[in-house]
DNA sequence: TCGGAGAGCGCC
DNA sequence: AAAGGGCGCTCTCCGA
């Protein structure tokens, strides 16, 4: 029985090494080499339920799948969280870098992301750890892990320390889940995708690179409508010139600007841009590259955004146009449980700031409705606009009076975001609820603000921009904390619900929304677990708060039918 | 010929 | 009506 195991796969073959550890990272006996790592890990998972410690989830866990592990500690994901906590920004985060810092060796720079991309066979996995030649990887994993636990224990404030441990655990769980979702994939009906593209764009072009029929038609109509001279509708310069030739001066080709133009060509242009984007970003080429054998497999990048939101690499999984949700259909006999957190960010603000009055409006139901009733004479749109403006740092438009109202009625909440903004303007850093740290100002920001006599207006603009960033960071990053806790809890609950090939599993995660693919007869149970996980996340992240985080959950066959 | 910058728009 | 936070992706344009 060991509470933790360090795990390092062999460079070649299915074997690997395991090192039992105590809860504080001290080795328990000698390391063990096993010829079949996946089987050995699966066995210990059942017997001990340990926390698995590895350099990076993609290198150590992905090859073990479909073995499912409950808990892990990912050194690569935890290192930047700790560096931020310690005020050491921009230092390399690989295992090798952490090891070098520990041993006083020269610290290797992180490899650029592109170096990881071609690593289809994991051939370069050992190099990606960035360990000096001849270093024993298991020894490094054990040492860096113990050091990370020590650094975590050094966080002075007990409550902050506790929350940071939650953050590291949740981030690591995110790593496990991202690897699982990449493997399982999102159900994707290429036939329906194809039909949709054909309806909108015309038949798939036979000649690769040729524009679909509808785009060619629209381009021709545009040309006629603007006087017959040929121009490329994909070229902003040529579009501006074509409109100018008809006496229409445009500041840009943005669709909101085109929408105000009273000329038939404007509407054609808007339509062209919509369809051309669909074709370029999520058309047949995308389908061939990303949606194979009934599954779309995005590559998630856990913590890829400084706020802790996930990013994806290739495939644009987090920017799929809503219309394409029609192609996401559960397998026969299965269902999709689609759940999103309603009005997550304003609720996070209420919980973060401890504003009793705002918390009351966020205690249930439609937050904006409640806000409107108490402060905006029932005008929901004003309530929403005002609150969003406060969270984003908006200053222009007619928002002034709305912000004034909010400041009067919710001084604690508004004070919270304004304090975060001031910290950012002054060059400081802010943290999320669980302790994720925002990056410091960039070097050119310092140039602009530290020499005001030369920087002048640009310096002020830059400082205000950074104020908007830190203002939004505390909310966006704390919302990401909550979402990560939700994911970890839901993942655990789904595993408890059922095992084997027919188990419900997460297939999609987008900031504040999750999709679970489940055998249809378990769908209602899954929906209950979603609600339970949201409540669990609330308690873990915000503790004693009256704010509630309701999920809007639907059980559907097709993603497009949700909500 | 390639890479970076800028524009623009998809998602939250 | 069109400003304010975070991204990824694709296109054009332009300079090395």
């Amino acid at each position: 029985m060991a509470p933790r195991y360090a795990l390092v796969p062999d460079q070649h073959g299915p074997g690997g090494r395991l090192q039992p550890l105590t809860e504080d990272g001290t080795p328990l006996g000698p390391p063990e080499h096993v010829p079949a790592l996946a089987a050995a890990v699966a066995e210990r998972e059942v017997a001990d339920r340990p926390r698995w410690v590895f350099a990076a989830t993609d290198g150590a866990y992905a090859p073990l799948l479909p073995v499912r592990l409950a808990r892990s500690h990912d050194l690569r994901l935890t290192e930047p969280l700790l560096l931020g906590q310690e005020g050491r920004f921009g230092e390399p985060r690989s295992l090798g870098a952490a090891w070098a810092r520990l041993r006083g060796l020269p610290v290797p720079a992180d490899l650029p992301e592109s170096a990881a991309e071609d690593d289809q066979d994991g051939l370069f996995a050992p190099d990606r750890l960035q360990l000096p030649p001849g270093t024993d990887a298991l020894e490094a994993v054990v040492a860096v892990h113990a050091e990370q636990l020590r650094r975590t224990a050094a966080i002075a404030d007990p409550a902050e320390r506790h929350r940071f441990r939650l953050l590291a655990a949740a981030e690591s769980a995110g790593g496990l889940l991202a690897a699982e979702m990449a493997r399982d994939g999102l159900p994707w009906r290429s036939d329906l995708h194809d039909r949709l593209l054909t309806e909108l764009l015309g038949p798939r072009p036979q000649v690769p690179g040729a524009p679909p029929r509808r785009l060619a038609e629209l381009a021709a109509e545009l040309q006629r409508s603007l006087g017959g001279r040929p121009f490329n509708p994909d070229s902003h310069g040529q579009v501006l010139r074509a409109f100018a030739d008809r006496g229409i001066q445009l500041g840009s080709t943005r669709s909101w600007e085109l929408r105000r133009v009273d000329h038939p060509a404007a509407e054609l242009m808007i339509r062209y841009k919509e369809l051309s984007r669909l074709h370029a970003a999520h058309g047949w080429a995308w389908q061939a590259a990303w949606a194979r054998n009934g599954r779309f497999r995005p590559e998630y990048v856990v913590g890829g955004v400084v706020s802790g939101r996930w990013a994806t690499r290739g495939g644009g999984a987090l920017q799929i146009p809503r219309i394409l949700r029609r192609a996401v259909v559960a397998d026969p006999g299965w269902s999709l449980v689609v759940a999103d957190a309603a009005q997550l960010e304003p609720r996070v603000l209420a919980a973060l700031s401890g504003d009793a009055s705002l918390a009351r409006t966020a205690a249930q139901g439609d937050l904006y409705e409640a806000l409107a009733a108490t402060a905006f004479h029932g005008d929901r749109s004003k309530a929403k606009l005002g609150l969003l403006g406060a969270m984003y740092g908006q200053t222009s438009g007619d928002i002034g009076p709305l912000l004034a109202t909010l400041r009067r009625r919710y001084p604690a909440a508004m004070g919270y975001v304004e304090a975060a903004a001031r910290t950012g303007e002054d060059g400081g850093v802010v943290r999320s609820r669980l302790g994720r740290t925002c990056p410091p100002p960039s070097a050119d920001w310092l140039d602009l603000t530290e020499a005001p006599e030369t920087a002048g207006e640009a310096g002020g603009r830059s400082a205000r921009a950074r104020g908007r960033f830190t203002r939004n960071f505390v909310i966006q990053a704390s919302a990401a904390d909550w979402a990560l806790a939700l994911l970890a809890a839901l993942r655990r609950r789904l595993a408890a619900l059922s095992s084997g090939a027919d188990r419900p599993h997460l297939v999609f995660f987008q900031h504040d929304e999750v999709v679970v693919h489940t055998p249809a007869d378990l769908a209602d149970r899954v929906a209950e677990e979603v609600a339970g996980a949201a409540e669990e996340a609330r308690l873990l992240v915000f503790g004693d708060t009256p704010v509630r985080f309701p999920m809007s959950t639907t059980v559907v066959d097709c993603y497009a039918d949700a909500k």
Side-chain angles (χ1 to χ4, degrees):
Chain A
M1 285 291 279
R4 296 189 178 221
Y5 276 95
L7 174 168
V8 172
D10 288 344
Q11 284 194 29
H12 304 286
R17 284 180 298 159
L18 299 173
Q19 171 65 65
L21 302 168
T22 66
E23 199 53 71
D24 69 1
T26 310
L28 264 173
E32 181 188 357
H33 183 269
V34 293
L37 187 59
V41 164
E43 189 183 301
R44 281 166 180 76
E45 172 71 9
V46 172
D48 296 6
R49 286 266 145 179
R51 188 173 295 278
W52 295 93
V53 179
F54 30 65
T57 306
D58 48 354
Y61 181 50
L64 302 182
L65 290 170
V67 171
R68 302 276 154 152
L69 305 179
R71 304 186 303 153
S72 69
H73 179 107
D74 182 313
L75 299 173
R76 172 72 158 66
L77 291 177
T78 304
E79 188 66 17
L81 298 176
L82 273 168
L83 289 171
Q85 189 67 220
E86 295 161 343
R88 300 155 63 194
F89 300 100
E91 293 193 32
R93 52 190 59 182
S94 67
L95 176 66
W99 166 259
R101 282 191 287 266
L102 191 54
R103 292 297 161 104
L105 304 167
V107 178
D110 283 338
L111 290 173
E113 283 298 332
S114 56
E117 275 171 19
D118 304 325
D119 191 22
Q120 303 268 329
D121 310 315
L123 288 176
F124 302 104
D127 294 337
R128 282 171 58 196
L129 300 180
Q130 295 284 83
L131 284 169
T135 312
D136 177 34
L138 185 61
E139 187 188 345
V141 166
V142 169
V144 169
H145 171 241
E147 176 68 1
Q148 287 191 349
L149 294 184
R150 190 198 61 72
R151 290 156 70 194
T152 302
I155 295 172
D157 182 272
E160 279 180 31
R161 186 164 66 232
H162 172 70
R163 289 199 295 264
F164 186 86
R165 287 192 172 121
L166 283 176
L167 177 62
E171 189 89 334
S172 298
L176 298 176
L177 179 62
E180 292 160 4
M181 287 201 296
R183 185 177 185 280
D184 291 335
L186 177 69
W188 191 273
R189 285 275 300 273
S190 287
D191 57 329
L192 296 180
H193 181 200
D194 199 73
R195 189 187 304 169
L196 184 69
L197 292 176
T198 303
E199 277 168 19
L200 294 169
L201 297 165
R204 177 181 195 155
Q206 294 304 307
V207 185
R213 193 182 63 209
R214 186 69 194 123
L215 281 183
E217 286 168 3
L218 275 168
E221 286 174 51
L222 262 169
Q223 197 181 303
R224 273 198 302 278
S225 170
L226 286 172
R229 235 168 331 143
F231 71 99
N232 177 2
D234 288 324
S235 163
H236 308 125
Q238 292 182 37
V239 170
L240 292 180
R241 248 169 282 137
F243 274 89
D245 286 349
R246 310 303 290 176
I248 300 163
Q249 302 297 329
L250 294 171
S252 74
T253 67
R254 287 189 171 88
S255 49
W256 61 258
E257 191 165 347
L258 286 166
R259 226 162 268 139
R260 292 185 310 183
V261 172
D262 184 25
H263 189 285
E267 204 184 318
L268 291 170
M269 194 63 225
I270 291 167
R271 190 64 184 148
Y272 177 88
K273 281 150 70 84
E274 286 170 357
L275 292 180
S276 134
R277 183 178 168 79
L278 176 68
H279 176 243
H282 290 100
W284 288 284
W286 178 91
Q287 185 184 103
W290 292 100
R292 318 200 82 131
N293 304 320
R295 292 290 186 270
F296 166 40
R297 292 195 167 74
E299 220 183 306
Y300 291 99
V301 185
V302 176
V305 180
V306 290
S307 66
R309 279 184 173 184
W310 290 15
T312 58
R313 196 160 28 224
L318 302 183
Q319 298 100 241
I320 295 176
R322 294 179 75 91
I323 193 172
L324 286 194
R325 293 183 180 182
R326 278 165 56 179
V328 180
V329 179
D331 291 348
W334 289 59
S335 295
L336 297 173
V337 178
V338 179
D340 73 287
Q343 304 153 340
L344 178 58
E345 295 197 342
R347 290 174 194 281
V348 165
L349 170 59
L352 270 181
S353 63
D355 190 304
S357 181
L358 187 59
R360 269 197 299 280
T361 72
Q364 56 202 328
D366 183 333
L367 185 150
Y368 296 128
E369 198 70 63
L371 190 66
T374 34
F376 290 97
H377 309 295
D379 189 337
R380 187 181 184 278
S381 66
K382 274 190 179 170
K384 181 174 177 176
L385 214 60
L387 204 48
L388 290 175
M391 293 189 297
Y392 288 159
Q394 182 182 342
T395 50
S396 56
D398 299 333
I399 200 170
L402 304 183
L403 294 180
T405 301
L406 287 171
R407 219 170 274 129
R408 200 169 57 247
R409 303 294 295 252
Y410 308 104
M414 296 299 281
Y416 191 91
V417 288
E418 281 163 8
R422 271 196 308 278
T423 301
E425 286 176 17
D426 294 344
V429 298
V430 294
R431 294 214 162 91
S432 74
R433 171 70 181 174
L434 292 187
R436 192 184 306 267
T437 310
C438 85
S442 62
D444 42 334
W445 185 89
L446 289 173
D447 289 347
L448 284 172
T449 50
E450 282 185 352
E453 67 282 359
T454 53
E457 214 176 300
R461 229 183 2 257
S462 167
R464 283 192 298 279
R466 188 168 149 79
R468 286 192 298 274
F469 169 63
T470 49
R471 172 196 291 264
N472 185 252
F473 182 94
V474 291
I475 296 173
Q476 188 184 112
S478 300
D481 288 348
W482 179 88
L484 208 50
L486 167 85
L487 280 183
L490 182 56
R491 177 178 178 272
R492 194 194 65 242
R493 285 161 176 263
L494 293 181
L497 210 52
S498 159
S499 59
D502 282 352
R503 67 183 181 285
H505 54 282
L506 278 147
V507 288
F508 194 59
F509 167 53
Q510 188 179 33
H511 311 314
D512 61 1
E513 177 174 17
V514 294
V515 179
V516 177
H517 193 212
T518 178
D521 58 347
L522 288 176
D524 291 338
R525 302 270 307 274
V526 169
E528 286 168 24
E529 298 300 344
V530 168
E535 176 63 3
E536 203 178 319
R538 177 182 75 87
L539 288 167
L540 279 175
V541 177
F542 295 110
D544 182 26
T545 173
V547 178
R548 288 297 181 274
F549 295 87
M551 303 295 290
S552 123
T553 306
T554 47
V555 178
V556 291
D557 289 326
C558 174
Y559 192 7
D561 297 334
K563 139 138 170 272

